[in-house]
C-alpha cells in the first residue's frame, strides 16, 4: 500500500501545531520543546505538527527548522503521527525541507501557500506539483489567505489532487466556509480536510473533515482533543458543548497575532519562557490580563 493511501486512514483528529520555545537569548529551547511534545501526547493530541505558523518558521533558519523536526521525531517516537510544516516563501527552501521531512520518516509534510510574494493560481499549481512530484511523502496543502495574501482556489486544489496522488489533504485556515465546503465536494469525500480556524473546528467535522490543526491545542490539548473524540464517538451534543466551552479561549488567543497570546498563556501556565523572535512581540498587558482571566475560568492556571 502506498504511504499516502495508509496516511488517508490514520491522519485524523486533533493535530497540535506545537510552538517553538526560545530561551531569553532567543536560542532554541530544546529541552522545553521535547517536554511540550510529550505533554501534548500525554494530553491526548492525536498528532503533532511543528514549524507551521504557530512555530514561527519565518524567523528561523533552515537548519533550525530541521533541528526542530529532528527533536519532534525523537520525542514522538512513533506514538502519534507527525506532520511537520515544510513550506516557505522560497521555493528551494520548501523543496529542501519537504525532502528532509521524507528523509526522517515523517508521516506527511504540510506545505503552506507561499507568503508575501502572492503567486497567481497557475504559479501555485506549478509550485505544489513540482514539490509533490519530487517526493513520495504525503502532502497536506496549507491555505491561509489571511497571512499569505492569496487564496488557493478550489479549482487549483482539485487540479493538484487530480495530478498528484500524494496530495491527500489540506489545512484550511479560511473563514470562507462556503469555499471549504466546495473543497470537500470537488476534491472528494476521502480528501483529508483540517480546520485551521478555531471556531470552525466543530463545523469542519460536520461536513466530513478529518480534524483540525488548532493553535489552541498548545494551551488546552485535553479539551481540543476531546472535541474530536466526542464527535468520533457519536456524542454530537457533547462535541457541541465542548465547541462552545472553548470559544472564550479561542477568541482571546487570536486578539493578537498568533502565536503571541499562545506563548503568553503558556508562560502563565509555567510551560515556557514566553519569548518570541522579532518582529513579533508579546501582547499588551491588558490583553495578557484577559488571557489569564480565561485561563483561570478553565482551570488552566
Amino acid at each position: 500500500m502506498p504511504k499516502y493511501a495508509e496516511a488517508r486512514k490514520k491522519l485524523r483528529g486533533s493535530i497540535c501545531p506545537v510552538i517553538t520555545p526560545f530561551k531569553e537569548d532567543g536560542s532554541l529551547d530544546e529541552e522545553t520543546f521535547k517536554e511540550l511534545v510529550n505533554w501534548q501526547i500525554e494530553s491526548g493530541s492525536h498528532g503533532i505538527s511543528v514549524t507551521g505558523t504557530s512555530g514561527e518558521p519565518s524567523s528561523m533558519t533552515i537548519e533550525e527548522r530541521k533541528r526542530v523536526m529532528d527533536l519532534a521525531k525523537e520525542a514522538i517516537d512513533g506514538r502519534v503521527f507527525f506532520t511537520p510544516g515544510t513550506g516557505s516563501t522560497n521555493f528551494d527552501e520548501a523543496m529542501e525541507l519537504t525532502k528532509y521531512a521524507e528523509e526522517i520518516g515523517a508521516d506527511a509534510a504540510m506545505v503552506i501557500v507561499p507568503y508575501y510574494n502572492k503567486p497567481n493560481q497557475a504559479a501555485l499549481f506549478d509550485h505544489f506539483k513540482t514539490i509533490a512530484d519530487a517526493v513520495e511523502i504525503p502532502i497536506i496543502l496549507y491555505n491561509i489567505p489571511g497571512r499569505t495574501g492569496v487564496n488557493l482556489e478550489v479549482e487549483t486544489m482539485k487540479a493538484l489532487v487530480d495530478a498528484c496522488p500524494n496530495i491527500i489533504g489540506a489545512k484550511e485556515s479560511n473563514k470562507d466556509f462556503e469555499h471549504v465546503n466546495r473543497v470537500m465536494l470537488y476534491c472528494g469525500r476521502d480528501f483529508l480536510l483540517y480546520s485551521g480556524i478555531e471556531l470552525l473546528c466543530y463545523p469542519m467535522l460536520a461536513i466530513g473533515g478529518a480534524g483540525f490543526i488548532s493553535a489552541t491545542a498548545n494551551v488546552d490539548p485535553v479539551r481540543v482533543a476531546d472535541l474530536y473524540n466526542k464527535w468520533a464517538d457519536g456524542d454530537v451534543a457533547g462535541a457541541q458543548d465542548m465547541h462552545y466551552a472553548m470559544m472564550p479561549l479561542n477568541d482571546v488567543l487570536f486578539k493578537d497575532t498568533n502565536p503571541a497570546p499562545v506563548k503568553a498563556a503558556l508562560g502563565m501556565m509555567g510551560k515556557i519562557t514566553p519569548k518570541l523572535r522579532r518582529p513579533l512581540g508579546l501582547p499588551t498587558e491588558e490583553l495578557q490580563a484577559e488571557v489569564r482571566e480565561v485561563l483561570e475560568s478553565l482551570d488552566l492556571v
Side-chain angles (χ1 to χ4, degrees), residues 214-235:
S214 167
T216 301
N218 278 285
V219 176
D220 196 354
V222 173
R223 287 186 177 89
V224 178
D226 198 37
L227 170 59
Y228 179 84
N229 293 337
K230 288 183 184 303
W231 176 265
D233 290 342
D235 183 3

Side-chain angles (χ1 to χ4, degrees), residues 15-21 28-41 46-52 55 60 63-86 100-101 104-108 218:
I15 304 172
C16 181
V18 180
I19 59 98
T20 306
L28 177 63
D29 190 340
E30 297 190 359
E31 290 306 312
T32 296
F33 176 76
K34 289 187 286 186
E35 290 170 3
L36 288 175
V37 171
N38 281 321
W39 177 56
Q40 284 294 325
I41 296 171
H46 306 100
I48 297 293
S49 184
V50 298
T51 64
M60 299 168 67
E63 291 309 313
E64 285 177 319
R65 291 182 67 175
K66 288 181 178 179
R67 179 58 179 160
V68 169
M69 285 192 226
D70 289 338
L71 291 168
K73 186 70 165 54
E74 178 185 345
I76 293 167
D77 193 26
R79 290 177 289 170
V80 297
F81 54 84
F82 176 40
T83 59
T86 61
Y100 190 73
I104 66 173
D107 294 290
N218 278 285

Side-chain angles (χ1 to χ4, degrees), residues 146-201:
R147 294 186 77 144
T148 63
V150 62
N151 187 46
L152 184 62
E153 300 293 347
V154 175
E155 295 80 7
T156 308
M157 205 174 293
K158 182 183 187 304
L160 284 165
V161 170
D162 289 344
C164 307
N166 59 329
I167 294 181
I168 64 167
K171 175 183 178 181
E172 274 287 358
S173 294
N174 194 325
K175 292 185 177 182
D176 182 353
F177 205 57
E178 291 185 10
H179 162 92
V180 173
N181 278 266
R182 292 189 175 96
V183 168
M184 183 65 81
L185 174 64
Y186 290 107
C187 291
R189 298 285 292 278
D190 62 344
F191 190 67
L192 302 180
L193 198 56
Y194 308 93
S195 179
I197 299 289
E198 276 59 28
L199 294 191
L200 297 182
C201 288

Side-chain angles (χ1 to χ4, degrees), residues 65 85-99 109-135 139-143 148 150-152 156-157 159-161 163-164 166-167:
R65 291 182 67 175
T86 61
S88 172
T89 193
N90 180 294
F91 172 80
D92 290 336
E93 289 183 5
M95 179 69 82
E96 180 178 342
L97 289 165
T98 304
K99 288 181 175 180
M110 186 172 67
V111 186
I112 194 170
V113 170
Y115 36 92
Y116 179 71
N117 39 30
K118 299 178 68 174
N120 63 30
Q121 296 299 305
L124 285 173
F125 177 87
D126 177 70
H127 175 85
F128 285 113
K129 185 177 186 299
T130 305
I131 292 173
D133 286 348
V135 295
I139 299 294
I140 296 171
L141 307 171
Y142 181 11
N143 189 29
T148 63
V150 62
N151 187 46
L152 184 62
T156 308
M157 205 174 293
L160 284 165
V161 170
C164 307
N166 59 329
I167 294 181

